[in-house]
Amino acid sequence: MTRVSRFLPLVLLAVLLSCAIRAADYEDGLAPPGEPASAFPAPGRPVAGIVTDTWHDEQSRDRAGEAERVMNLLGVKPGLEVADIGAGSGYYTVRLARRVGPKGHVFAEDVVPDYLDRLAVRVAKEGLASSVTLVRGDPHDPRLWPGSLDLALLVHMYHEVQQPYGLLWNLRPALRPGARVAVIDARKQTEVHGTPPDLLRCELAAVGYRQTAFYDLQESTYLAVFMLPTPPIGPASPAAIRPCVRGRS
């Protein structure tokens, strides 16, 4: 064994230890909590369970040009501050981080600690740790700092959010003027891991968002883009939110 090959395991161990420390510390930078889950109405439709941190394999998604097309449609460019909400295994996190570059930043948010632990290792290995902040959110609150975002991206996870009205309400302070919320999901019922577009529009409108763009993607999926109007519209408080009911949205 050469001197270099004996040294490599030590380097790898140091990297993994630093990642473990980072993963243990990702809650330190949480924003103050927003409104509690109890303040919001329950969704008037089933909520799918969280079953995995991966939606399809990354190679097939890249062959289909998924991330490149989505980032192009959303105008993701160097310098933007972006949240990957429900980041999971980090498919979009790492690609967003490379696109926004050192002058931008990605907040990788998830509610599952194991997912964030694995994602911490991934971003460190790919040399992106300085461009990515891990955030342990709550099902009703992404815990992102006020005025921190130009774009929030929710990919194949909206149907798994236990308290969608709370998440959308508590996300609002983090959005800068003109910021967008982009949702990718499948044209399926929520209990089978999708969200009908009309239901999605209704639920976001119930919290004051309006749709500004809609694109069809591959495999019966879509990209819907929303903004908060200026001046704001919609409910003045969580108690004023009127939940949508599937079939009557």
Side-chain angles (χ1 to χ4, degrees), residues 16 21 50 62 81 119 125 139 204 224 230 234:
L16 293 177
I21 292 170
I50 300 174
D62 282 344
E81 307 270 346
L119 184 52
K125 283 185 174 180
L204 272 90
T230 304

Side-chain angles (χ1 to χ4, degrees), residues 45 156-161 164 168 183 185 195 200 203-204:
R45 41 80 175 177
H156 293 292
M157 53 72 68
Y158 183 81
H159 51 269
E160 298 175 349
V161 178
L168 294 168
V183 179
D185 217 333
T195 308
L200 180 72
E203 291 190 349
L204 272 90

Side-chain angles (χ1 to χ4, degrees), residues 29-34 82-85 106-110 133-137 141-149 151-152 167 170-175:
L30 287 178
V82 183
D84 183 8
I85 297 179
V106 176
F107 298 90
E109 186 270 358
D110 211 295
T133 295
L134 302 177
V135 179
R136 167 87 179 276
D141 187 350
R143 300 294 298 274
L144 296 162
W145 280 95
S148 61
L149 299 179
L151 172 67
L167 180 79
N170 287 322
L171 175 62
R172 299 197 314 177
L175 302 174

